[in-house]
Structure formats: C-alpha cells, structure tokens
Amino acid sequence: MAMFQLDMNATFKILKILEKSKLKSEEVFTKIPGVVMIISGEGRVLKGNSFLSEILGCYSDELHTKSLADILIEENYKLFFKNLETTTDTVGGKNFETKLTIAGDSSLKIYSWDVSFLTSFQDRSVDTYLAVGRDITDVRIIQEKLVDANKNLEEKVRQRTVDLENAMNELKNLQGTMVSNARMASLGEMAGNMAHEINNPLTIIKHSGKSIKKSLLKKKFSDERVEKFLVRIDQTVDRMAAIIANLKGFSRDASNDPHTTVTIQEIVEESVFLIREKMTSVGINLEVDIEKVKNEPLVCSKVPLTQVIVNILTNAYDFIKNLDNKWIKITVEKTDEVFIFSIIDSGEGIPFENRDRIFEPFFTTKELGDGQGLGLSIAVGIVEKQHNGSLEVDGDCENTKFVMKIPRDLEGAS
Ligand SMILES: Nc1ncnc2c1ncn2[C@@H]1O[C@H](COP(=O)(O)OP(=O)(O)OP(=O)(O)O)[C@@H](O)[C@H]1O
Ligand SMILES: [Mg+2]
C-alpha cells in the first residue's frame, strides 16, 4: 500500500511538472510577437496564436476551421505551399516572404515567414509545420525609400558631374579666349613699342633722303656722300623690316613651334629689341650682360621664349616706370646643365605672400583693367612645358629678380 502511495505521489508530481511546462510553452506560443501557427501539409490550421486570430478576424476556437487560403492572397498561397513542400529538414527550416491582407484592413502587409517541419505534433500520419511570421512591411517601406533615395542621389551626383564637366569646359574655353586676348593685348602693347621703334628709323630715312635731295639741288655731292646716305637708308629699312617681322611672329600662335637652335645673344637681343625704345622713353637704364655666353647655342622655341622675356621685361617696366631710380639688368650665365637668365629691376621685390601666387592665372596687383594677370602664367607655361625649365622669383635679392633656367640639353624637354 505504501508502495502504491509512493507511485501515486510520483505520478502526481510528474503530471504537475508536465502541466507546468505545457502552460509555459502555451505562454511562449501566445506571447511571441508575431503569427505562430501549426499547419498541416494541406495548409489546414491545426493551432494558432492570438496574432493569427487577429489577422483572420476570428476567435481562437474557430482557428481550426481556417486554412492558408484564408490568410494569404492567391499567388502567395502557392508560394507558401511551394516552400512547405521543400521544408523537410527539421533542423534548418525555410525563410521566405509573402504578402497578406489582415481582416478589417485593406492594405497589403509583407510578412517574413520561418517555417520548419514538425515530427512530433499530434497525428504522426499527417505532415505538420510550425510557421512563425513577422510583419516586415515598415522595414520594406523604409528599404524601398532608401533605395529610391539612393537612386535620386546617384542621379543628382550624375547630373552634378555633367554640370561640373560643362562648367569646366566653359572655363577652359574662357581661359583659352582670355589667353588669346592676353596675347592680343600684348600684341597691342608691342604695336605701341613698334611705334617708338619705327619712329626713329623713319626720322633717319627722312633725314638721309633730305640730305641727298639737298646735295642734288646744290649740285654739290660726291659719290661717297650719297652712298653713305643710301647705305644708312638701306640699313634702316632692314631694321624696320626686322621689327615688322617680329611683330608678325608675336601675332600668331607659336605654342606648338618646334625647337630651333639660336644663340643666347639672338634670343636676348630680339627680346630687348622689342622694348628698348619704350624703356628709354621713360628713362629706364637697361643693361645687358651676356658677354661670356653670347655665342652659346640655345635650343628653344624662339618666339615663345622671346615672349617670356618680353613679358618679364614689360612687368619690370610697368612696376618701375614711376620710380626715381629706374634700371633693369639682364644677365645670362651657364652651368653644366642649364642657362640661367636673370632679369633684375630696381623695384623692391615681390612681397613674400605673393611669391607663389604671381604665377597663377588671373593674379594681378595692377589696378582693375590695367592687367589681366596672365603674363607670368603664360610665361611659366612656356618655360616649363615647352622647355622643361623653371621660372622663379629670387626672394633673397633686395630688388625684384626673376630667374629662368633652361636646360642646355633639351633632349628631355617636352
Ligand atoms: N617686376 C615686377 N615687380 C613687381 N611686381 C611684379 C613684377 N612682375 C610681376 N609682378 C607681380 O606679379 C603679378 C602678376 O604678373 P603678371 O604678368 O602675371 O600679370 P600682370 O602684369 O598683373 O597682368 P598682365 O601681364 O596680364 O598685364 C603682377 O600683378 C605683380 O603683382
Ligand atoms: Mg604682366
């Protein structure tokens, strides 16, 4: 009897424990925040939680009368089944998404389902599945919005890139125009110089002609005297022809000129030739010291390099013409590798903060309308790109000093 009593007690205890764990699992079943249902292989609902009854708009004791067809719209119903058929693995399960409508709500919701095969639910002759579904509509909406926003952003970036490219092209064209304007402006300046330069020879020719005429009228002329005047006229005409030829060289685009070999003297004298008279007219003392290297050969693009020196000399002219002490000195020296052209003027140098900026296009300290700020940027382009050289300000000099280095062996020049 005592034995029986003991067994009853043990059984009672076990039943209690079982009841407790059943309640616990029921609680878990109902409290999972989403749809939990057990369905048969044909889609019949065998059990479901309160979320499922909410979706279906029915009482929980009516759930067993429902099937997947009541929960899902048609195309998704088929999809659900397809997934059920292939969910035979009890361990892994399946995850997929479907759309469904909820009772009393016309909008479509998106659900993410985790389905696994159950082996031990009630009747073993029927395939049963545990399906847990979560409403992920909001997540998907946010994702779609993000994708849209991303697409918009990409489109905006693409559009901005196109705008930027167009602006760059416009800027390039504009810069081209400005550079060509600058060339034309310096041509204008040159034409001014020419007026000075040509005026003198014209006076010489006129004077020589007059002298010959006078001698003829007085019938007091010797062959030598006439010849002297004729030679002078001839030389002066040659000089004028040279001036005009120079002006012509300046007016065309010489940026692609091939390299030729000239002497240091030729390049310096031709540059000075184009501006000497203008300098003299305002009392600038121009000194050239190239004696040691004057016959050295220099491989260069002659017209552009002349333009560089003229641009530097023109700047010197502009910045010292109103000083009391006005002078410019040009020297050329050589090392094993380079010719060093130094152009120094009596100004007080370039302020430290401007030393790098003066070579930038459009940087100018001249009054508005007086300069475009292109002279030095054009010069530096010609020196570096066409001659593989360098153009810098010598900040250690107490005056304004520009130093241009041109390789003696231009093999490597581009
Ligand atoms: N010899 C110099 N003395 C003092 N400042 C100079 C001298 N040469 C150049 N600079 C400075 O460098 C700036 C840029 O010179 P750059 O030749 O490029 O342009 P710009 O002379 O101002 O104008 P542009 O040459 O187009 O007429 C000048 O505005 C000036 O500030
Ligand atoms: Mg200038």
Side-chain angles (χ1 to χ4, degrees), residues 11 17 71 128 134 136 193 199 206 222 245 254 306 352 357:
T11 311
I17 290 169
I71 306 169
T128 48
R134 272 174 305 119
I136 55 162
N193 295 344
N199 226 4
K206 200 167 175 195
S222 62
T306 311
F352 180 76
R357 303 197 58 205

Side-chain angles (χ1 to χ4, degrees), residues 237-301:
V237 167
D238 280 352
R239 175 170 162 75
M240 287 169 70
I243 290 169
I244 288 160
N246 261 309
L247 186 61
K248 265 183 165 171
F250 255 90
S251 63
R252 65 179 181 78
D253 181 2
S255 55
N256 294 318
D257 271 16
H259 289 141
T260 54
T261 305
V262 295
T263 62
I264 294 290
Q265 183 169 26
E266 270 175 83
I267 206 85
V268 172
E269 282 191 351
E270 286 210 13
S271 312
V272 169
F273 179 69
L274 294 168
I275 198 164
R276 186 184 282 280
E277 207 44 49
K278 185 173 166 178
M279 299 276 185
T280 318
S281 71
V282 294
I284 294 173
N285 181 22
L286 181 60
E287 189 187 330
V288 178
D289 179 5
I290 56 169
E291 201 49 37
K292 284 187 196 144
V293 291
K294 68 176 185 186
N295 294 321
E296 292 281 341
L298 169 69
V299 178
C300 66
S301 293

Side-chain angles (χ1 to χ4, degrees), residues 182 185 189 311-320 343 345 347-351 354 357-366 370-378 393 400-402:
E189 217 167 84
N311 281 0
I312 298 172
L313 288 174
T314 307
N315 280 346
Y317 168 89
D318 289 337
F319 287 97
I320 65 169
I343 301 173
D345 68 51
E348 287 181 349
I350 311 280
N354 290 348
R357 303 197 58 205
I358 58 171
F359 297 104
E360 288 170 10
F362 310 113
F363 177 85
T364 181
T365 54
K366 288 180 179 166
D370 277 357
Q372 299 182 71
L374 287 173
L376 286 180
S377 64
I378 291 173
V393 171
T400 311
K401 180 173 175 182
F402 282 86

Side-chain angles (χ1 to χ4, degrees), residues 222-239:
S222 62
D223 283 355
E224 297 82 54
R225 189 172 155 79
V226 172
E227 195 180 345
K228 187 183 121 197
F229 284 122
L230 286 177
V231 166
R232 192 183 285 174
I233 288 174
D234 196 42
Q235 282 171 346
T236 315
V237 167
D238 280 352
R239 175 170 162 75

Side-chain angles (χ1 to χ4, degrees), residues 1-12:
M1 188 65 187
M3 187 71 172
F4 175 73
Q5 189 64 39
L6 189 70
D7 276 350
M8 278 297 283
N9 272 346
T11 311
F12 187 67

Side-chain angles (χ1 to χ4, degrees), residues 2 14 25-26 35 41 44 47 107 124 169 171 204 210 238 245 271 305 326 341 363 373 392 398 403-404:
I14 289 165
S25 56
E26 284 290 330
V35 173
R44 261 188 316 115
K47 193 171 163 61
S107 65
R124 282 183 183 225
N169 285 339
L171 215 65
I204 295 169
K210 251 186 185 169
D238 280 352
S271 312
L305 202 62
K326 326 176 230 261
F341 292 71
F363 177 85
E392 285 167 352
E398 58 181 18
V403 179
M404 171 172 79

Side-chain angles (χ1 to χ4, degrees), residues 14-80:
I14 289 165
L15 281 176
K16 233 176 152 185
I17 290 169
L18 277 176
E19 181 63 17
K20 227 176 165 183
S21 75
K22 191 182 167 206
L23 280 174
K24 266 189 191 166
S25 56
E26 284 290 330
E27 194 180 354
V28 171
F29 194 78
T30 47
K31 288 210 171 152
I32 284 180
V35 173
V36 182
M37 59 185 180
I38 293 168
I39 45 176
S40 71
E42 301 94 51
R44 261 188 316 115
V45 175
L46 304 175
K47 193 171 163 61
N49 67 354
S50 52
F51 276 91
L52 183 62
S53 9
E54 241 174 68
I55 286 179
L56 290 166
C58 68
Y59 294 109
S60 48
D61 57 3
E62 291 170 341
L63 280 175
H64 68 279
T65 63
K66 303 289 181 187
S67 80
L68 279 181
D70 301 311
I71 306 169
L72 300 163
I73 58 171
E74 200 187 334
E75 56 178 290
N76 287 296
Y77 173 69
K78 284 180 189 154
L79 175 77
F80 203 105

